[in-house]
Amino acid sequence: QPMLTQPPSTSGTPGQRVTISCSGSDSNIGRNPVSWYQQLPGMAPKLLIFGDYLRPSGVPDRFSASKSGTAASLAISGLQSEDEASYFCATWNDNLGGLWLFGGGTKLTV
Amino acid sequence: RLQESGPGLVKPSETLSLTCNVSGGSITTSLYFWGWIRQTPEKGLEWLATILYTGSAHYNPSVESRVTIFVDTSKNQVSLKMSSVTAADTAVYYCTRRGTTASPVRNAFDIWGQGTVVIVSS
């Protein structure tokens, strides 16, 4: 079963830089663009990054992302208390007829 | 804006029907797919299905046999039906918009509804 693996949790202090990893395989991250989502408690997910590293308008440049091979990562610099949320990666998986995959999510504590 | 509506509570083995009202733009565009994603504490976010206004749809293989997604362009709505529900289908269901490769926000879910809670219980 294809999957995207994220660490369940991470933490940082205000002003710090943190990174969140997302590990996949050749059939998903290795071939397709990755997007990242932020989910505040009790809210719907919000798009942070698409196309591996592109930010939609309105997303602060404190949020950045990259990809290498079958792994992607999200970086948050100048950490703020309002960044405390869960973060999910997502991409298309080419196998099994094709399906969208989401990582299990990483809970960031500030 | 995407606004989901649903029954809240469904009995096991029954059919779940969800509707998403799309406002602020027409669903009859080649720039976006419309679809459904659900979230549970156990399985996290799970993509269910996606459809273009033409009716061209794509399903998660894990639910394909039980799920139908369709659009009503006259009402600017996207709907989902899931048959033979079990407790495992208890989740928050989100209506989503996803950019096509021609969209400014391509291949990403750029708009989400607030979500509707569905509980499967007798």
Side-chain angles (χ1 to χ4, degrees):
Chain A
Q1 193 79 341
M3 59 191 306
L4 302 179
T5 302
Q6 297 181 238
S9 63
T10 191
S11 63
T13 57
Q16 198 177 17
R17 182 179 187 270
V18 297
T19 61
I20 297 171
S21 62
C22 175
S23 176
S25 68
D26 287 333
S27 62
N28 42 68
I29 292 179
R31 296 182 196 172
N32 299 297
V34 176
S35 51
W36 288 89
Y37 302 84
Q38 176 193 59
Q39 187 174 33
L40 297 171
M43 303 290 286
K46 169 193 169 186
L47 177 65
L48 280 182
I49 298 286
F50 69 100
D52 295 334
Y53 60 88
L54 299 171
R55 282 187 309 275
S57 61
V59 174
D61 59 8
R62 301 187 298 105
F63 296 91
S64 62
S66 62
K67 187 175 83 173
S68 178
T70 59
S73 65
L74 174 72
I76 309 171
S77 59
L79 208 55
Q80 300 178 4
S81 57
E82 57 259 40
D83 297 332
E84 185 160 296
S86 291
Y87 293 85
F88 299 87
C89 58
T91 190
W92 177 256
N93 186 84
D94 290 334
N95 293 346
L96 302 178
L99 76 161
W100 281 92
L101 289 178
F102 285 88
T106 299
K107 175 69 171 72
L108 169 64
T109 300
V110 180
Chain B
R1 182 169 173 257
L2 308 179
Q3 181 66 56
E4 306 92 343
S5 60
L9 180 65
V10 187
K11 289 183 169 54
S13 80
E14 293 188 342
T15 294
L16 167 65
S17 294
L18 299 171
T19 297
C20 174
N21 282 297
V22 179
S23 60
S26 173
I27 65 170
T28 57
T29 171
S30 59
L31 292 179
Y32 299 104
F33 290 99
W34 310 91
W36 294 88
I37 291 169
R38 67 183 179 184
Q39 185 174 29
T40 63
E42 298 79 22
K43 296 184 71 174
L45 291 166
E46 182 182 26
W47 169 74
L48 297 176
T50 292
I51 191 168
L52 197 58
Y53 77 97
T54 57
S56 175
H58 204 145
Y59 296 93
N60 186 324
S62 70
V63 298
E64 185 169 13
S65 63
R66 300 192 294 127
V67 167
T68 302
I69 188 172
F70 53 98
V71 293
D72 186 333
T73 55
S74 66
K75 295 181 179 179
N76 224 38
Q77 289 179 343
V78 183
S79 298
L80 185 86
K81 287 189 183 295
M82 178 181 288
S83 64
S84 305
V85 298
T86 69
D89 297 311
T90 294
V92 178
Y93 286 76
Y94 293 103
C95 178
T96 61
R97 187 181 83 168
R98 177 175 71 82
T100 66
T101 53
S103 168
V105 183
R106 53 193 178 278
N107 296 319
F109 300 94
D110 68 333
I111 295 181
W112 298 61
Q114 64 183 25
T116 185
V117 175
V118 173
I119 297 172
V120 179
S121 175
S122 55

